[in-house]
Amino acid sequence: MLLIPAIDLKDGHCVRLKQGDMDQSTTFGEDPAFMARRWVNKGARRLHLVDLNGAFAGHPKNEIAIRKILKEVGSEIDVQLGGGIRDLDTIERYLDAGLRYVIIGTAAVRNPGFLQDACTAFGGHIIVGLDARDGKVATDGWSKVTRHDVVDLAKKYEDFGVESIIYTDIGRDGMLSGINIESTVRLAQALSIPVIASGGLSNMADIEALCVVEDQGVEGVICGRAIYSGDLDFSAAQERADELNG
């Protein structure tokens, strides 16, 4: 089970939001590269970056901070990034800078042709982020809920050749209310590509519950507010996951 610390970037700072609301942000650090180093030193094997301003603007807004992170740790571990990625040139620029995976969210829903082109041009580097409320996909920084079913879209993207799916229950994100295990497993069972859980991770019990379903196709989990608030000790959690699943 891969535990992936999240570094959410807003105006160049490390923050956490509640349910994707930019007006409900808590700043956890002024130096994103320092934060990235902190998680690597604690045993992280991958980092999850989100350009929050970019997600709302539709184009990169925190690229300077992202490049500093990649310069600091990009040669040591895999780094994945989502938020405001809407064209092939942006993907190529980030991959050239040392990014391992690009996460496409809103653009995948609005422009499936772009996603297909991205998978063709950058095979092995494209992850789709599917954010949902009550099983329906949300876009535009979670501000719009569509009629698209999560499982149906994920199957379509699997056919395109995406590397994996990050599934976020936006009703739980940033709320420390526990991972939606049932919905995550349902999605993973419908696919042959890995699913990464996200939204609501709160404590060690969540980690242990995810380890139980890892063989269903749940590859990892995004760790957000819980590891910043101290509700979950990241190093201990990764050690426990390794102990349970090897």
Side-chain angles (χ1 to χ4, degrees):
M1 179 61 59
L2 193 62
L3 275 58
I4 310 172
I7 299 178
D8 291 359
L9 301 167
K10 178 185 178 186
D11 304 328
H13 302 146
C14 304
V15 305
R16 295 302 300 167
L17 306 184
K18 287 187 176 181
Q19 296 183 315
D21 187 346
M22 288 285 273
D23 294 326
Q24 294 191 62
S25 66
T26 303
T27 300
F28 284 99
E30 304 293 338
D31 186 343
F34 176 83
M35 188 67 71
R37 171 55 59 192
R38 172 188 174 189
W39 295 125
V40 171
N41 290 347
K42 286 181 175 290
R45 297 168 196 156
R46 189 188 297 189
L47 289 179
H48 176 78
L49 311 183
V50 182
D51 183 346
L52 292 171
N53 302 102
F56 284 86
H59 54 88
K61 299 290 285 186
N62 285 282
E63 190 164 348
I64 293 175
I66 290 162
R67 285 180 175 272
K68 287 181 179 178
I69 291 173
L70 292 173
K71 185 177 181 180
E72 177 68 29
V73 303
S75 62
E76 300 174 46
I77 66 169
D78 291 338
V79 181
Q80 61 192 41
L81 166 71
I85 298 172
R86 304 284 196 272
D87 59 76
L88 297 180
D89 287 342
T90 299
I91 295 175
E92 184 173 24
R93 190 168 71 247
Y94 275 134
L95 293 179
D96 286 345
L99 197 72
R100 180 66 177 89
Y101 300 108
V102 169
I103 303 163
I104 301 175
T106 293
V109 180
R110 287 186 168 181
N111 188 359
F114 162 61
L115 176 63
Q116 198 162 19
D117 289 344
C119 290
T120 299
F122 308 107
H125 295 281
I126 306 300
I127 294 173
V128 166
L130 286 178
D131 309 324
R133 189 187 300 277
D134 299 325
K136 301 299 180 182
V137 174
T139 62
D140 299 275
W142 304 351
S143 61
K144 299 178 181 177
V145 178
T146 71
R147 295 182 180 179
H148 294 294
D149 180 79
V150 169
V151 173
D152 290 343
L153 273 188
K155 287 182 177 179
K156 179 179 180 179
Y157 300 154
E158 179 179 33
D159 291 340
F160 288 173
V162 302
E163 186 70 12
S164 57
I165 300 287
I166 297 175
Y167 172 69
T168 304
D169 183 330
I170 63 178
R172 301 191 183 208
D173 188 76
M175 303 304 290
L176 298 176
S177 56
I179 292 284
N180 190 334
I181 300 285
E182 183 180 351
S183 294
T184 303
V185 169
R186 186 184 306 119
L187 177 61
Q189 290 175 334
L191 305 173
S192 60
I193 57 175
V195 170
I196 297 172
S198 177
L201 181 71
S202 58
N203 52 39
M204 193 70 82
D206 285 332
I207 300 298
E208 293 174 345
L210 284 166
C211 286
V212 171
V213 298
E214 184 173 8
D215 62 356
Q216 300 298 307
V218 182
E219 176 184 52
V221 59
I222 307 297
C223 305
R225 182 173 290 272
I227 60 173
Y228 288 95
S229 66
D231 289 87
L232 181 69
D233 182 304
F234 178 82
S235 296
Q238 184 63 74
E239 288 176 8
R240 178 59 173 155
D242 292 344
E243 177 187 329
L244 289 172
N245 288 36

